[in-house]
Amino acid sequence: MIGDKKILYSGMQATGNLTLGNYLGALNNWIKLSEEYECFYGVMDLHSLTVRQNPAEFRKRARMLYTLYIAAGLDPKKNCIYFQSHVSAHAEMAWLLNCFTYMGELSRMTQFKDKSAKHADNINAGLFTYPVLMAADILLYQADVVPVGIDQLQHLEITRDIAERFNNIYGDVFTIPEGYVGKTGAKIMSLQDPTKKMSKSDENINASIYLLDDPDTIIRKFKRAVTDSGSEICYREDKPGICNLIDIYSATSGKNRDEITREFDGKGYGEFKLAVGESVVDILKPLQARMKELQADKAYIDSIIKENAEKASYTSMKTLRKVQKKLGLTERIR
Ligand code: TRP
């Protein structure tokens, strides 16, 4: 707790361009949650290094993600928004927690298995201990809740296990965090294969709407979206393409599924796709305008980056020092 508020921690990696799926599934939720919780949101750039990055591109993309958080509506005065790599406590805590994590439990992580299959030429130790760094992120801030996608729940589970293991030996040091998975309907699927999640790393650019796509591109991508056989606009399991478009329309227009199917009763796919596209354009317009403004104001973003890194360092250092002391590391002489 900070004051009378519970603590929330979350973050995204700066790999790939953020998609409508990231926005409707995560970012938009964060903004709502930021009223209720004391929030820490990181740009998880250390995690991104488990895969080889082009330095110049990586730096640009990380700053862009940071700016997008703010453009999307997260207030950097009320929330702590920072780069993971600016707070050295993350790396230090990850080392300490490494010593409380078993090889066996890390080998069972499905993301490690998937990623090592995908990057067979670079199965580095960082990829293996990735969940320990994530545990450090969360535990440093004594987070009560952690909004994550379903694919990250296993990492949250190992975070809880590590925290409990530590607490069992050293007393109540860490808050045990709870996962928070957003409501269904916010899970946005690929426009080209609606059985797959819309992903920022998809190689087919038509599969995803990127937050900075211009209106024409957005409309074109929706026109090309894969739909199902038949011609009816209804929410049925055998129509994953239409379901996805209904979900997107619902999330961007605020109308529910019934209202939408009634609105498009007797109308064709073409008309529906255009309406969904326009609704997405409408919701992204203010975000894109704000993004432009923010990107033009380098001094402002710089000052926010600095201020928030200091805030994150201060909070995380308190936990780090406590842990070091519990472990019997020699205290610093002042
Ligand atoms: N692993 C997360 C992802 O790929 C990103 C992440 C890193 C994270 N540290 C975190 C998410 C801590 C929540 C809390 O999506």
Side-chain angles (χ1 to χ4, degrees), residues 9-13 15 30 40 42 44 47 84 90 111 115 130 133-138 146-149 151-152 155-156 200:
Y9 192 93
S10 200
M12 286 184 206
Q13 284 198 58
T15 33
W30 290 5
F40 293 86
M44 310 324 273
H47 277 104
Q84 184 187 30
H90 287 253
Q111 185 176 292
K115 285 199 179 171
Y130 178 114
L133 179 59
M134 183 158 158
D137 303 336
I138 296 166
V146 183
V148 282
D151 61 318
Q152 295 296 315
H155 291 161
L156 198 65
K200 52 187 172 175

Side-chain angles (χ1 to χ4, degrees), residues 24 185-189 191 222 227-228 232-237 239-264 269 272-273 275-277 279-280:
L24 297 177
K187 190 173 177 202
I188 305 303
M189 312 305 278
L191 297 184
F222 276 105
T227 40
D228 320 289
E232 226 184 322
I233 317 286
C234 59
Y235 207 92
R236 268 203 337 246
E237 218 176 292
K239 296 183 119 205
I242 291 296
C243 286
N244 188 36
L245 294 179
I246 292 178
D247 282 338
I248 294 173
Y249 191 51
S250 171
T252 50
S253 70
K255 297 173 191 170
N256 67 33
R257 287 174 192 171
D258 289 341
E259 288 169 319
I260 294 168
T261 43
R262 247 179 283 131
E263 182 180 344
F264 290 93
Y269 282 173
F272 178 52
K273 284 176 169 180
V276 181
S279 170
V280 170

Side-chain angles (χ1 to χ4, degrees), residues 19-40:
T19 69
L20 184 66
N22 299 123
Y23 180 68
L24 297 177
L27 207 44
N28 209 20
N29 246 337
W30 290 5
I31 293 155
K32 284 185 212 135
L33 291 165
S34 68
E35 307 278 322
E36 197 182 327
Y37 294 95
E38 188 69 38
C39 299
F40 293 86

